[in-house]
Amino acid sequence: MLVGIYSLSHGGYSLSFKDIIGAFLGKGDRKAQLVIWSVRFPRVVAGILVGASLAVSGAVMQGVLKNPLASPFTTGTSHGAMFGASLAIALGAGYSESTGSVTLNNPYTIALFAFLGAMSSSLVIFLMGKLKEITPEAMVLMGVAMGSLFTAATALIQYFADDLELATMVYWSFGDALEILEGQPGEKTSYFWWSF
């Protein structure tokens, strides 16, 4: 809660607690209302919702594998997602040649490839678990091995990538909340809720 309030008040345009309360009540400075409702509040809400979603998915993963060490990193899921995104960027979905800047030309293609990469790791672990009837501990070890495999494949893609592609891969791996603000009003929100 305190971090959310801090996030609403600090940035390129500093706001006092009084300005924040005024913006929520629809009173006060017009600039403060614009900054709060158009930029900062959507980011704070998205951060809270994404964080809660990650917590729930982590708890589900630990419950299914019956292992408190299970996470997207130990099961290779996050490494598979990075491999998929890097592959999409290397195939041309990543940056703008005309401006020479790091721009995600087609973020939906990158997200699709990342999803497919993450699911491929999970699917291999799931199938091995069903076919060979291995223990949850062995599934986690298999996930670590899958993570190493995807990390090596991602490094290979990055080795052959040019500077802009590499920069785009790194930019994607860091994440960005700016995408929430782009597009038609409600468009990103509908995609977000559809994912549940």
Side-chain angles (χ1 to χ4, degrees):
M1 188 71 170
L2 293 175
V3 173
I5 293 170
Y6 179 82
S7 299
L8 290 173
S9 64
H10 288 77
Y13 185 74
S14 294
L15 298 170
S16 67
F17 187 69
K18 180 183 172 188
D19 292 333
I20 295 170
I21 298 298
F24 278 115
L25 296 175
K27 300 175 181 175
D29 186 19
R30 182 76 179 133
K31 275 188 188 177
Q33 290 181 18
L34 184 65
V35 167
I36 292 288
W37 290 110
S38 298
V39 179
R40 294 186 185 165
F41 188 69
R43 287 184 183 180
V44 168
V45 169
I48 290 169
L49 291 176
V50 168
S53 301
L54 290 172
V56 168
S57 65
V60 167
M61 186 178 290
Q62 290 174 355
V64 167
L65 293 176
K66 298 179 182 102
N67 189 331
L69 296 177
S71 73
F73 298 103
T74 58
T75 57
T77 308
S78 60
H79 303 289
M82 183 61 199
F83 169 75
S86 297
L87 184 62
I89 292 166
L91 293 175
Y95 63 95
S96 176
E97 192 70 52
S98 61
T99 62
S101 64
V102 175
T103 306
L104 299 179
N105 288 340
N106 195 341
Y108 300 111
T109 301
I110 296 172
L112 176 66
F113 273 67
F115 177 76
L116 292 175
M119 289 309 296
S120 65
S121 176
S122 300
L123 188 63
V124 166
I125 293 169
F126 176 75
L127 289 176
M128 289 299 287
K130 286 293 182 189
L131 296 175
K132 299 290 184 180
E133 296 181 10
I134 59 177
T135 64
E137 291 82 9
M139 284 187 190
V140 170
L141 289 174
M142 187 182 303
V144 170
M146 291 294 295
S148 297
L149 177 72
F150 280 122
T151 299
T154 301
L156 185 66
I157 290 172
Q158 290 175 345
Y159 179 77
F160 289 109
D162 64 27
D163 291 343
L164 283 176
E165 287 173 340
L166 183 60
T168 306
M169 291 173 198
V170 171
Y171 173 77
W172 186 88
S173 70
F174 287 164
D176 186 17
L178 185 62
E179 294 292 323
I180 297 164
L181 305 175
E182 296 177 357
Q184 298 298 320
E187 177 186 357
K188 301 288 183 184
T189 308
S190 64
Y191 292 140
F192 178 78
W193 289 114
W194 178 81
S195 67
F196 287 106

